[in-house]
Amino acid sequence: MPESKQPRAVFLIGFMGAGKTSVGRALARRLRWRFVDLDDRIEARAGRSIAAIFAESGEEAFRQAETAALRDLLGELHVERPAVVALGGGAPVRKENAELLTACGELLVFLDAPFEVVRARCRATPTERPLIREPEPARQLYEDRRPHYLKASLRVDTASQSVEQAAAEIAMALSLEARKENQ
Ligand code: S3P
């Protein structure tokens, strides 16, 4: 494959609790790629947690910070090692971000699981997620976002398999091979 055709990134999308961070880490380990969590970037840039950004500045401020972090990340893809990127659940839904992702031409993978599963996972983790506190609005958000997530080139079920199995499925479906030490 010519150098220019090698993927520079795989973006993992899906609802909160779909497994983007855990599967992303496992996939990055498997491929010897970098792992980037966009939420971590946003928090580092802002110097405060996502929950604090929502509480103190509101969702729109968070969305603007998210788009700025995504732009930065896309700008560095050609100079850094390839990356597995976990995007926040709302990131691919915003039109501006969807256009940036389409324009960059990299791979998008939808991690999918039923609402009850993602909600239970979110409740079991310490990360504070402002948009999943109340079950009914969260369920509606889940339904509204699904069509956006389904635009990804690959859908992987994370409810019926382990993190490692999901990572292996992605690598195999996209024919991604582990980076050699000297690449
Ligand atoms: C959000 C998802 C969160 C985080 C923020 C908003 C969303 O990320 O970006 O709380 O709108 O779905 P995760 O999907 O990684 O939990």
Side-chain angles (χ1 to χ4, degrees), residues 14-18 20-21 37-39 42 50-51 54 59 62-63 66 86-91 122 127-131 141 145 149:
F15 205 69
M16 294 167 269
K20 301 179 296 282
T21 301
D37 190 313
L38 197 71
D39 285 345
I42 296 164
I50 286 172
F54 267 80
E59 180 170 354
F62 169 75
R63 295 298 167 201
E66 187 173 50
L87 294 180
C122 288
T127 312
E128 214 192 314
R129 293 174 168 101
L131 296 180
L141 200 59
R145 286 180 175 177
Y149 298 149

Side-chain angles (χ1 to χ4, degrees), residues 111-127:
L111 298 190
D112 195 11
F115 178 74
E116 279 65 28
V117 172
V118 297
R119 175 146 164 88
R121 284 185 190 151
C122 288
R123 289 167 78 104
T125 59
T127 312

